[in-house]
Amino acid sequence: QVPLQESGPGLVKPSPTLSLTCPVSGQSITTAHYALSWIRQPPGQGLEWMGVIGYDGTTYYNPTLKSRTSISRDTSKNQFSLQLSSVTPEDSATYYCAANEYGNTASSAEDYSLWGQGTQVTVAS
């Protein structure tokens, strides 16, 4: 198992950018060939896949969020990050980082077998 643990601000005001990070322990993200993804779940709704960064650094995004989403990785810190711009209360959700062990840059939450516990983000003024 490769522990993933999201970290984020919790309660935030509507703002230009929301940043979340996900340190990965137990395995190097450069040698493990994981596909690393961000997935969120708004209150009372289903899981929404936001995007993924493949082991080669290529990124793919949900078309509905693509203009506001950026996923990157820091191999020196063995972690990856999410930046979401133009954040509004509609972005309130539990945000999860997840990994596909086979490097599959899938666009479905069901294709990710390793998950963090989730971090709740509430956007309110």
Side-chain angles (χ1 to χ4, degrees):
Q1 290 294 328
V2 178
L4 307 173
Q5 184 59 61
E6 308 84 353
S7 63
L11 176 63
V12 298
K13 295 182 179 181
S15 63
T17 304
L18 169 69
S19 296
L20 301 175
T21 60
C22 183
V24 178
S25 58
Q27 188 64 269
S28 167
I29 63 174
T30 54
T31 59
H33 285 192
Y34 290 143
L36 304 170
S37 180
W38 287 96
I39 298 164
R40 69 180 183 178
Q41 186 169 28
Q45 300 183 37
L47 295 168
E48 179 180 35
W49 177 81
M50 301 182 70
V52 62
I53 184 166
Y55 62 83
D56 61 354
T58 303
T59 52
Y60 303 91
Y61 299 107
N62 185 326
T64 64
L65 297 169
K66 184 176 182 179
S67 64
R68 301 199 290 130
T69 306
S70 178
I71 297 175
S72 60
R73 63 182 183 177
D74 185 336
T75 56
S76 67
K77 296 182 179 179
N78 211 47
Q79 66 182 32
F80 64 112
S81 301
L82 169 73
Q83 288 195 316
L84 183 66
S85 64
S86 303
V87 176
T88 70
E90 291 186 346
D91 294 309
S92 297
T94 299
Y95 286 76
Y96 298 92
C97 57
N100 180 292
E101 299 171 86
Y102 305 102
N104 183 2
T105 52
S107 59
S108 173
E110 291 76 18
D111 290 313
Y112 293 87
S113 58
L114 302 175
W115 289 69
Q117 292 184 332
T119 185
Q120 185 170 342
V121 175
T122 302
V123 184
S125 55

